[in-house]
Amino acid sequence: MKTKKTKWLNFLLVVMGFGLYLFINEPESAHAMHIMEGFLPVGWAIFWWAAFLPFFFLGLRSLIKITKENPELKIMIGLAGAFTFVLSALKIPSVTGSSSHPTGTGLGAVMFGPLPMSVLGSIVLLFQAVLLAHGGLTTLGANAFSMAVSGPIVGYFIYKSMMKTTGKQKWSIFLAAALADLSTYVVTSIQLALAFPAEHGGFLTSFLKFGGIFAITQIPLAISEGILTVLIWNWLQSYSPNELSILQRKMKGVQ
């Protein structure tokens, strides 16, 4: 009965995510987490696609392995994708006149490692680009590299390091989710600064400019995402203890 109840709760979470996505989300400018269609020069758009694709194919192989070895974890994979879908669809105005977003990738990185999130995160970004012009197809490689590759990698290694040094799981999850969020915006700022270096000061000036657009709202937003991720983890411990136990055993190894 508990497994059946968990499946229904996860299904409802996906439905809520789709509803939030349709009613809250709006097309963005380049000065948000997702770089809009056509904004990057062609050379940089191709570069980030090339940088992203190896992670995607490795992630696909990792997901196939996980589902073959532990079919019962499919529902958890769906939950990780739904969580990313919900949070990254939220649009929060920034005092700079831009907007910020949570990312939701830290939870999946803690649960499965960074590689599966390169697939789940990029699927989320693809739906957002196609359905509501949130981001774009030519810039999907850049957006996926920042949110679905860089963020999960940072979150995963923060979690592993914290668990090894302190053993405090909740704090480890909090920091993993918060820093996965922040690192996404740092990488996006780097991408924009590389593509559009300032006439005076070059890359560094441009990086500080783009980073400043996000920083004021993103730091408290990252803290909030860390807290929410811990709450979701507590929820999973109540409704899916068996699946979490399997995941924790897998996370003791290197993925």
Side-chain angles (χ1 to χ4, degrees):
M1 289 299 294
K2 183 176 285 187
T3 300
K4 184 176 180 181
K5 185 176 182 180
T6 301
K7 290 181 179 180
W8 275 108
L9 288 169
N10 288 338
F11 174 75
L12 289 174
L13 182 59
V14 174
V15 173
M16 285 192 302
F18 188 70
L20 285 169
Y21 178 77
L22 289 179
F23 291 104
I24 296 177
N25 203 5
E26 296 178 4
E28 300 287 330
S29 70
H31 302 299
M33 182 180 66
H34 305 328
I35 303 172
M36 71 178 181
E37 177 67 33
F39 188 77
L40 288 179
V42 174
W44 281 111
I46 294 173
F47 173 84
W48 291 113
W49 265 107
F52 158 68
L53 284 175
F55 291 96
F56 178 84
F57 290 118
L58 289 172
L60 200 59
R61 187 174 68 175
S62 179
L63 278 176
I64 292 172
K65 181 180 179 181
I66 290 170
T67 54
K68 282 185 177 180
E69 293 179 351
N70 302 101
E72 64 273 27
L73 294 182
K74 289 180 181 179
I75 193 75
M76 303 295 278
I77 293 172
L79 174 63
F83 188 67
T84 300
F85 191 84
V86 171
L87 290 198
S88 64
L90 297 174
K91 176 182 178 181
I92 299 174
S94 167
V95 295
T96 60
S98 176
S99 63
S100 296
H101 304 258
T103 65
T105 59
L107 178 66
V110 168
M111 291 167 64
F112 297 103
L115 289 178
M117 289 309 299
S118 66
V119 177
L120 298 179
S122 61
I123 291 173
V124 166
L125 289 168
L126 176 62
F127 275 113
Q128 292 176 350
V130 171
L131 295 178
L132 287 174
H134 190 181
L137 296 179
T138 62
T139 57
L140 180 60
N143 291 328
F145 190 87
S146 63
M147 191 183 96
V149 174
S150 300
I153 287 175
V154 170
Y156 173 76
F157 283 106
I158 289 295
Y159 176 76
K160 294 286 284 187
S161 299
M162 285 289 295
M163 286 296 293
K164 184 176 181 180
T165 56
T166 70
K168 297 180 179 180
Q169 188 176 57
K170 300 300 170 61
W171 274 108
S172 300
I173 292 171
F174 168 78
L175 285 176
L179 293 179
D181 180 302
L182 281 177
S183 64
T184 295
Y185 283 85
V186 171
V187 173
T188 299
S189 298
I190 291 173
Q191 291 171 329
L192 293 173
L194 287 170
F196 304 102
E199 184 176 351
H200 301 290
F203 166 80
L204 182 58
T205 298
S206 186
F207 171 72
L208 293 174
K209 174 185 174 182
F210 284 116
I213 292 173
F214 307 128
I216 296 175
T217 51
Q218 201 58 36
I219 292 175
L221 192 59
I223 293 172
S224 299
E225 181 172 338
I227 294 171
L228 178 60
T229 304
V230 172
L231 293 176
I232 293 296
W233 186 269
N234 291 340
W235 178 81
L236 288 172
Q237 286 183 321
S238 298
Y239 289 100
S240 300
N242 294 333
E243 289 84 352
L244 270 191
S245 178
I246 294 172
L247 286 170
Q248 288 177 311
R249 289 197 299 270
K250 290 177 69 65
M251 286 293 284
K252 289 180 180 178
V254 178
Q255 298 195 17

